[in-house]
Amino acid sequence: MTTAPAGHPSQGEAIRVIVADDQEIARTGLRMILDAQPGIEVVAEASDGHRAVELARRLRPDVCLFDIRMPRCDGIEATRSLAGPDVADPMAVVVITTFDLDEYVYAALRAGARGFLLKDAGPQLLSQAVRAAAGGDALIAPSITARLLSAFAGTDPAQPRVQPIEPLTEREEEILLTVARGRTNSEIADELHISLSTVKSHVASLMTKLGVRNRVEIAMWAYETNRVKPR
């Protein structure tokens, strides 16, 4: 196992990743894929959730890549321990699984995951998800996003969603729709013909007004309150 100093990546530094999967062949494959990507380095591996949480707290990687099904502590619980609502300094977690089940995806997002992928997503989407998570963005497999969020539109969440502390502006309403449909900041900037910094500013404002911590929660809020209609 190799290690690197804790901390978030700055310009020129590699994105440091921990991979956790109970199957050695899967861990090896993920490590090979990620280590082959420029600017990404796998700094540790774990075969169960408890070990993954322990390593993450000690090494403070930029991104944790967790399988759903692991012994001792599964990927959902590990995610909640590192990125849940009660965590003061949440880490970036991407959950990856072979099981395309809505309840897994929803549980992972509720636990604080910044991304959700299937193991057959391929190297490009995997690296995109890791880079997005490291940059404070989020990526959910396109095949999952609309179906998942639409399935939960109008359902009652564990705690009722509060209304914005201030009314959303017209532009924020536009940003809300694009975020809810899984667009990245760059895609939103291109679609709405505005700068990337403007998009980031509006997303930050949305998080403040909605009382959420990331863009995944923005999307969930939009669907759960029927602000976005299922396609």
Side-chain angles (χ1 to χ4, degrees):
M1 181 185 74
T2 59
T3 61
H8 296 290
S10 59
Q11 191 171 9
E13 290 186 348
I15 296 169
R16 302 165 59 255
V17 182
I18 283 180
V19 173
D21 194 302
D22 63 330
Q23 296 184 339
E24 183 176 1
I25 191 169
R27 292 198 310 277
T28 301
L30 290 169
R31 180 169 201 146
M32 289 177 64
I33 289 172
L34 292 174
D35 278 342
Q37 306 301 316
I40 298 178
E41 177 189 5
V42 176
V43 297
E45 299 176 19
S47 59
D48 66 73
H50 276 307
R51 179 61 173 161
V53 171
E54 176 186 290
L55 285 170
R57 286 175 172 164
R58 177 160 58 88
L59 300 176
R60 299 295 301 183
D62 303 306
V63 178
C64 300
L65 185 64
F66 290 166
D67 184 26
I68 285 277
R69 291 188 173 181
M70 294 187 290
R72 300 178 68 202
C73 170
D74 66 21
I76 302 297
E77 187 56 39
T79 299
R80 187 176 294 111
S81 296
L82 298 173
D86 298 327
V87 178
D89 187 16
M91 297 187 196
V93 179
V94 174
V95 173
I96 185 168
T97 182
T98 55
F99 304 98
D100 184 10
L101 299 175
D102 287 343
E103 56 265 35
Y104 281 171
V105 188
Y106 198 64
L109 300 183
R110 279 289 188 205
R114 284 194 197 168
F116 190 101
L117 294 176
L118 300 178
K119 287 185 178 179
D120 62 1
Q124 183 177 3
L125 198 59
L126 178 61
S127 62
Q128 285 178 357
V130 168
R131 295 184 196 282
D137 211 330
L139 189 151
I140 306 172
S143 62
I144 293 172
T145 307
R147 187 194 77 234
L148 167 75
L149 294 174
S150 296
F152 286 94
T155 61
D156 294 327
Q159 295 180 342
R161 290 289 182 181
V162 298
Q163 291 304 304
I165 59 174
E166 295 178 27
L168 302 185
T169 66
E170 184 176 348
R171 179 62 84 183
E172 286 169 347
E173 293 281 4
E174 290 181 305
I175 301 291
L176 178 72
L177 293 176
T178 56
V179 170
R181 291 182 176 131
R183 305 289 194 271
T184 65
N185 285 348
S186 296
E187 290 170 339
I188 294 171
D190 290 341
E191 185 174 326
L192 299 182
H193 307 291
I194 56 180
S195 70
L196 186 59
S197 61
T198 299
V199 175
K200 291 180 179 179
S201 177
H202 284 307
V203 170
S205 179
L206 280 171
M207 287 191 285
T208 298
K209 288 185 176 182
L210 303 182
V212 300
R213 301 190 306 168
N214 55 57
R215 64 197 301 111
V216 173
E217 292 182 2
I218 290 175
M220 293 168 69
W221 182 92
Y223 276 91
E224 289 175 341
T225 57
N226 291 315
R227 298 293 286 265
V228 179
K229 299 299 180 184
R231 289 183 169 181

